[in-house]
Amino acid sequence: MASANENVRVPTGVSSGFGSKGTGKKATHWKKNSERLPGSIKPVYSAKYPPSEILNQTQMRDQTGVKPRPKQKDAFAAFDSKTSDAWEVNDEELLMLKARQLSLEKQRSEQAERAAQQAQMLEARIRSEDTELGSPSRDVSERREDPQETPPPSPSLRSGVPGLAVRQNSDLEPPVPSSPIRTSPMPMPDREVGKLAKFKQLLSGLNTELDDLRKLSWSGISGAVRPTAWKLLLGYLPANTDRRELTLERKQEEYFGFVDQYYGTRTDSLHKDMFRQIHIDIPRTNPLVPLFQQPKVQEIFERILYIWAIRHPASGYVQGINDLVTPFFVVFLTEHTAENVDVTDNLDITTLPTDKIRKVEADTFWCMSKLLDGIQDNYTFAQPGIQAKINSLKELVQRVNAPLHHHLLSHQVEYLQFAFRWMNNLLMRELPLKGTIRLWDTYMSEPEGFAVFHLYVCAAFLIKFADAAMKEKDFQGIMLLLQNLPTASWTNQDISLLLAEAYSLKYMFADAPRHLSQQAKK
């Protein structure tokens, strides 16, 4: 009896498994007729790689002279040759695509020209009306009423593909171009607005916390509150709000009492040489600032300096003190003028009421006296304070930037030759006036800012120009550089960076001054 497996007949043309070989006439059907197999890979012919069949036929014809009979295509091959691929693009479609792209580019250029014309019309309207620009919604509605100003619809990014063009909404308008003309000044940054609000809140209290005021003032004081802040930081104005007005009136009367008592002695033989030197130095004080060339201002400076010299006989008047008057005078003058007035350039002092000028003069005298009280040894006989600070500067630069220090010494450049003016005038001859005012914001916030912190500022100032000094190869070149440093265009940002470098030096060496002395002994 035959088993169940024996009754199953396996076709001879079908392999019984992967890799098995069939036998018989049907087994070679697909091998001989591979072109009839749907989905089979057909060779791609080109000029570089011709088909082997064409090469073989050419060789056979050359050898025998008889043209071989071409193979007859089956039905599937005929169908395949007559059917084009759905993704193939013929020459006609390419030309249509290129023409459509050119049309899109033309539309974009026309749209850009219309936008430029609209911007010019908008600017002309602003100039003619001399008012601020109206709301964008109103301008859009006005343009919609004029069909000539309506821009063409924006073409779709996909419209270049046949059959995939997307219909655009012709009612959509492009955004209104912003006008480059500004009819109002730039607003104050949010950070400055917040800082000014903190100052006003701090100064308007019943008692101003001086420690909080110093912390807030270190990074700069807003111009609107700087006069009051300086008076508080120098100890001229009391922290209690109720006592301030009476204090200012009393100090003003006291100062002009000194004027009535001493100013008439300026022609005495004992004091006429000193007053003569003051009279010569006043016109040299910031000669490029128009305010300081006004006769009324020079007369005020003469009174301030002469009264201070008479009341401080240990030092008297020393050249350089005249520069220290100008920042106080400018700051306290802004307290009685409009915010948008540049007092150093556009103010005629004679236009101010006499009582306001008297207040500015008295406040300037007392605040300058407060400053000089802390650095008076800079102006006594032989100026020992300046000598000590220059030696400390030399030791500090030697520790921080030894190559610069050795470069200066190798060309016989002494620190006293360029740094004396830095200490004597507190860098006022090296910085613009506005930069000096910003610098003094921090000096007044620092403990002993004019006496101690100024040393680190001078060190940072010298190191900032170390590369330029190292390029100079003789004494004359180094001195010309250090006495004419390119700081005329410095802004408050430059001053802030300088102060940051100075604070880092102070942080390293101020709490360990023996490091400097030990280095000097070595």
Side-chain angles (χ1 to χ4, degrees):
M1 181 177 177
S3 62
N5 294 335
E6 294 178 354
N7 295 330
V8 179
R9 184 179 180 183
V10 180
T12 58
V14 181
S15 61
S16 59
F18 182 77
S20 61
K21 298 181 179 180
T23 58
K25 189 174 183 179
K26 294 184 180 180
T28 59
H29 171 77
W30 298 113
K31 292 183 180 181
K32 293 182 179 180
N33 301 279
S34 58
E35 291 183 356
R36 299 182 180 182
L37 181 62
S40 61
I41 300 176
K42 300 173 62 176
V44 179
Y45 301 151
S46 66
K48 186 174 181 181
Y49 301 102
S52 58
E53 297 178 0
I54 297 177
L55 291 177
N56 294 334
Q57 293 176 6
T58 304
Q59 294 174 0
M60 292 174 60
R61 181 175 58 186
D62 295 340
Q63 293 176 1
T64 62
V66 180
K67 185 176 180 180
R69 182 180 180 182
K71 298 177 62 175
Q72 185 178 1
K73 293 184 179 180
D74 59 348
F76 181 84
F79 169 80
D80 183 67
S81 62
K82 294 179 181 179
T83 305
S84 62
D85 197 309
W87 295 103
E88 292 179 356
V89 181
N90 54 25
D91 295 340
E92 183 179 357
E93 290 176 343
L94 288 175
L95 293 175
M96 293 176 60
L97 178 61
K98 187 174 182 180
R100 188 166 298 176
Q101 290 176 349
L102 293 176
S103 176
L104 294 179
E105 293 177 359
K106 184 178 180 181
Q107 291 179 3
R108 293 191 185 99
S109 62
E110 292 177 354
Q111 182 179 358
E113 291 177 0
R114 285 193 175 89
Q117 293 176 0
Q118 291 172 6
Q120 293 177 359
M121 294 173 60
L122 191 59
E123 293 175 8
R125 186 185 306 170
I126 293 175
R127 293 191 186 97
S128 61
E129 295 178 357
D130 196 23
T131 56
E132 293 186 358
L133 184 63
S135 61
S137 59
R138 184 187 65 183
D139 296 337
V140 171
S141 61
E142 292 175 356
R143 282 198 301 273
R144 284 180 180 174
E145 295 176 0
D146 188 359
Q148 296 181 356
E149 295 185 0
T150 304
S154 302
S156 172
L157 295 178
R158 302 175 59 188
S159 59
V161 181
L164 293 179
V166 180
R167 182 179 180 182
Q168 298 293 324
N169 187 359
S170 59
D171 295 334
L172 295 178
E173 296 286 344
V176 180
S178 59
S179 174
I181 300 177
R182 295 183 181 274
T183 59
S184 59
M186 290 293 292
M188 184 181 297
D190 294 340
R191 180 180 178 183
E192 295 298 327
V193 172
K195 190 174 183 179
L196 179 59
K198 291 181 181 179
F199 270 113
K200 291 182 177 181
Q201 182 180 2
L202 189 61
L203 297 175
S204 62
L206 182 61
N207 289 286
T208 302
E209 293 292 337
L210 295 182
D211 290 339
D212 295 340
L213 181 60
R214 292 189 185 97
K215 293 178 182 178
L216 190 60
S217 302
W218 202 98
S219 59
I221 304 175
S222 301
V225 297
R226 182 178 279 126
T228 303
W230 275 22
K231 296 172 186 177
L232 286 167
L233 292 171
L234 289 170
Y236 169 57
L237 202 62
N240 185 272
T241 309
D242 297 335
R243 296 172 50 202
R244 292 176 185 174
E245 192 64 30
L246 293 176
T247 300
L248 291 176
E249 293 178 0
R250 178 174 57 82
K251 299 299 281 186
Q252 180 179 341
E253 293 178 359
E254 186 178 355
Y255 167 71
F256 283 102
F258 293 151
V259 172
D260 295 338
Q261 182 179 356
Y262 298 114
Y263 194 62
T265 64
R266 65 187 184 279
T267 57
D268 294 351
S269 58
L270 183 63
H271 306 301
K272 65 178 182 180
D273 291 340
M274 179 179 66
F275 181 78
R276 178 177 176 274
Q277 188 62 52
I278 294 174
H279 184 74
I280 293 174
D281 290 344
I282 291 300
R284 302 173 181 173
T285 305
N286 289 316
L288 300 180
V289 179
L291 175 67
F292 303 139
Q293 303 308 311
Q294 299 181 27
K296 182 68 173 179
V297 175
Q298 294 183 358
E299 182 183 346
I300 292 173
F301 285 6
E302 287 179 357
R303 283 198 297 266
I304 292 173
L305 293 173
Y306 182 77
I307 298 301
W308 186 89
I310 289 294
R311 297 189 70 250
H312 295 82
S315 61
Y317 173 75
V318 178
Q319 287 181 311
I321 297 179
N322 55 308
D323 289 329
L324 306 182
V325 183
T326 55
F328 291 115
F329 188 78
V330 169
V331 169
F332 297 146
L333 198 60
T334 59
E335 194 174 10
H336 305 284
T337 58
E339 294 183 3
N340 58 348
V341 174
D342 185 359
V343 298
T344 61
D345 188 26
N346 302 323
L347 179 66
D348 183 4
I349 193 68
T350 59
T351 59
L352 291 178
T354 304
D355 59 334
K356 292 184 178 180
I357 297 177
R358 288 171 63 90
K359 290 180 180 180
V360 173
E361 182 176 349
D363 293 344
T364 300
F365 171 81
W366 288 114
C367 288
M368 189 197 72
S369 301
K370 289 285 187 180
L371 185 156
L372 291 174
D373 287 346
I375 56 174
Q376 190 170 352
D377 59 344
N378 286 7
Y379 307 103
T380 56
F381 179 72
Q383 298 179 282
I386 292 180
Q387 299 284 346
K389 288 181 177 64
I390 290 177
N391 290 332
S392 298
L393 175 65
K394 180 179 179 180
E395 296 167 2
L396 184 58
V397 174
Q398 185 178 2
R399 290 295 305 273
V400 177
N401 195 325
L404 173 62
H405 173 76
H406 294 303
H407 181 73
L408 296 177
L409 296 184
S410 63
H411 292 85
Q412 290 77 46
V413 177
E414 297 293 338
Y415 283 77
L416 185 66
Q417 294 171 327
F418 63 87
F420 179 84
R421 191 172 72 181
W422 297 4
M423 302 296 178
N424 188 56
N425 302 88
L426 299 178
L427 288 175
M428 288 195 61
R429 299 286 179 89
E430 277 51 59
L431 300 174
L433 180 59
K434 292 182 179 180
T436 299
I437 293 174
R438 167 63 189 91
L439 186 69
W440 284 19
D441 289 345
T442 302
Y443 280 3
M444 295 181 192
S445 306
E446 276 280 329
E448 297 183 318
F450 293 95
V452 177
F453 188 66
H454 179 67
L455 166 66
Y456 298 98
V457 173
C458 290
F461 190 67
L462 176 59
I463 294 171
K464 184 175 181 62
F465 299 97
D467 294 339
M470 294 284 287
K471 294 178 181 179
E472 301 293 339
K473 301 303 180 183
D474 55 14
F475 173 85
Q476 183 179 3
I478 296 174
M479 288 302 300
L480 287 175
L481 171 68
L482 296 179
Q483 291 180 351
N484 301 276
L485 293 171
T487 58
S489 60
W490 271 26
T491 62
N492 287 347
Q493 182 67 23
D494 298 311
I495 301 298
S496 298
L497 294 175
L498 178 67
L499 291 168
E501 294 293 334
Y503 184 80
S504 65
L505 294 177
K506 178 190 174 184
Y507 183 81
M508 288 189 292
F509 295 102
D511 296 334
R514 293 182 62 185
H515 288 294
L516 299 178
S517 60
Q518 290 176 0
Q519 181 68 15
K521 292 179 181 179
K522 293 180 182 179

